[in-house]
Amino acid sequence: MSAGLSLVVAWLMTISAAFSGVTEQDLWYRITIRDAPCGYLHETVRESPTRIRTESLEHLRIDRGGTVVELSQGTTFEEDQRGTPLSATVRIDTGGRPVRHEYDFPEGHPRALSRESGGQSAREDANDAWLTPSEVRAFLKARIAAGATRVTYRTLDPYAGMRLVEIELTRVGSERREVLGRTLELGRWRMRSDGSSILVEELRTAEGILVSSVADVGLGMMTVELVDRETALRALDAPPPELLDATLVPIRNMVGRTDDAVTAGYRVFFDTDRSWELPDSGSQHVRTLRPGGFEVTIDAASGSTASAQELADPALRSASAYIDIDDPGVRRFFRELEKRPGDTTLEACDRLRVAVARQVSNKTFGVAFGSASDALRSRSGDCTEHAVLLAAGFRLAGLPARIATGLVHAPASGFEHGAFAWHMWTQVLIDGLWWDFDATRKNRFDAGHLLVSTSSLDGGTGERALSEMLLLLGRMRVEVICVDGLVLDEKPTDGRGDDR
């Protein structure tokens, strides 16, 4: 469970700190969550007569249910002195084999060169106008100097496959604060990016340099603060914050365990500025109650029809950084599994599920998000590693497969009726229908699941799909209507039940 929580936390560090507005300087930031120092951000800008190189490196330590996880991610962006983009590299290390994305910019548009070392792809995106890191710095400085109270610009999100993102800054005041031994007059800004419900409170200098940012990210309050190098690095020595409990969604009623449940009905409510739609896919069928509210029916014994676009999507069949079906060990593992000629395709797929569950024998939160080959070799992981390894097996069998992200019901300390935890499983396309498979559960699938999104995990789509979870942490409520015909709640409420 917890569905790559560490990767999501790593992603959120970029919300408030990216492109913070320096020239020829090193900037160090301390990251705290729930008042606990837990990591740092280091940003540098270097100029030569012909090029500008912007680099960032983030390192984080968190506690996931008693297991301390370390992860890091970094970006390098090169452009010429006129602001023409030349190359970009994104590096993500979540405990498995590090993932690397490389881009060039033919005619100014990003093109993915590889998903990881040795990988290849050809994907273009973000063809509209956008600002490079140096252009963002110059633009912010100029607008602040001109007395602007609202600043809007578009740039690329390197952790979401170079997706175009619009940033809006609104000035709400000023304050004096001591910063690295100097008393400065700082502007207070509210920052929001499109597609996000998270509002970030920032302090910036007259040059646009980020001094601090504070945001409620569902896991608690997160602060990014400009400090000296020694203070930033000391954040890794402090006891890390425990974050797993903050991701749990409480419920007022449940029948007990749901491992054997076949059908269930739920009401799901979103408390976000952004409108959300739950997918009608696999075992899940959705009816809209009102804006932000849905009635969800789960039938674990059924599948759902795939769209024409899904049937034609090559990303559901090919290798990616996390579903690395081109790895020799992964190919050999699934090739050597016992085959039974009399099996239906659904039965054969369930044998793959059982094989994956046995292979990943060390059930641990110690890896934030490993690839299929990581899970195979280490035999360790949580739901994310089970999901990607099973997806690899399906794709190697010639079946399109993708990752499902959502909630699963499970016992939880302090919750009388258990709770819903963020989770990942696998969907496979069989004879035009999407079927759900969960390699961490007793049966192929059960009605204790709620689907929020799906992803092929191709290029940056995996990071983007996981980042959606961040927007919903602490902003999603679930009511249980019935389980296997037993009615538990006949009348809708506001969804605020909490039995703790």
Side-chain angles (χ1 to χ4, degrees), residues 109-120:
H109 307 314
R111 178 179 64 182
L113 299 176
S114 64
R115 299 185 181 92
E116 58 181 334
S117 298
Q120 293 183 357

Side-chain angles (χ1 to χ4, degrees), residues 102 138 152 178 220 267 281-282 304 391 403 427 435 480:
E102 296 180 346
T152 303
E178 186 170 312
R267 298 186 194 93
S281 177
S304 67
I403 301 303
Q427 287 192 338
W435 292 88
V480 185

